[in-house]
Amino acid sequence: QVYLRESGGGSVQAGGSLKLSCRVSGMILSVFTSNVINWYRQAPGKERELVATSIGGSSPVYIDSVKGRFTISKDNTRRSVYLQMDGLKPEDTAVYYCQAPYSGKDLWGPGTQVTVSS
């Protein structure tokens, strides 16, 4: 069975940085290497939104509000996907989730809280 688990959240002041990690367990290397892995976030009272996508060997995709500040990267040998977040803003405060489509299902991690104070 495949599981996703995020880590690395925390509280920072505006302008600070955090690096989130998503560890994918139970997925064989060849599948992980080519699989789409997404980072979503959900702020209080708002809908969950897609923040960044890692697409196998293609260039990553970001929403406009994080372009130039967030960087998604992948370590295939560690079955991990990272989200480096720099220049954090209070509006980045949210629970961050990693998500992967796999075997016809959408798999989600439990999320990690990011809080940015002004």
Side-chain angles (χ1 to χ4, degrees), residues 1-35:
Q1 205 160 1
V2 176
Y3 298 96
L4 283 68
R5 179 164 292 277
E6 307 89 346
S7 62
S11 297
V12 296
Q13 291 195 327
S17 298
L18 284 172
K19 185 174 184 177
L20 306 183
S21 299
C22 173
R23 178 76 165 89
V24 181
S25 302
M27 189 179 288
I28 62 174
L29 179 59
S30 60
V31 174
F32 179 83
T33 300
S34 60
N35 211 60

Side-chain angles (χ1 to χ4, degrees), residues 37-109:
I37 307 288
N38 298 302
W39 280 101
Y40 282 79
R41 66 186 179 187
Q42 187 165 21
K46 295 188 177 181
E47 293 189 355
R48 194 170 294 190
E49 68 173 348
L50 178 60
V51 175
T53 296
S54 172
I55 313 173
S58 301
S59 297
V61 180
Y62 304 93
I63 57 172
D64 287 345
S65 61
V66 308
K67 283 181 181 176
R69 300 189 298 121
F70 290 12
T71 304
I72 191 170
S73 61
K74 199 174 180 183
D75 185 335
N76 291 328
T77 58
R78 295 180 183 270
R79 310 291 197 280
S80 293
V81 178
Y82 307 99
L83 187 67
Q84 176 67 45
M85 306 187 295
D86 299 315
L88 282 162
K89 303 176 180 180
E91 52 263 43
D92 295 318
T93 294
V95 178
Y96 284 72
Y97 302 88
C98 61
Q99 180 269 338
Y102 180 78
S103 192
K105 298 179 181 179
D106 283 336
L107 305 181
W108 294 86

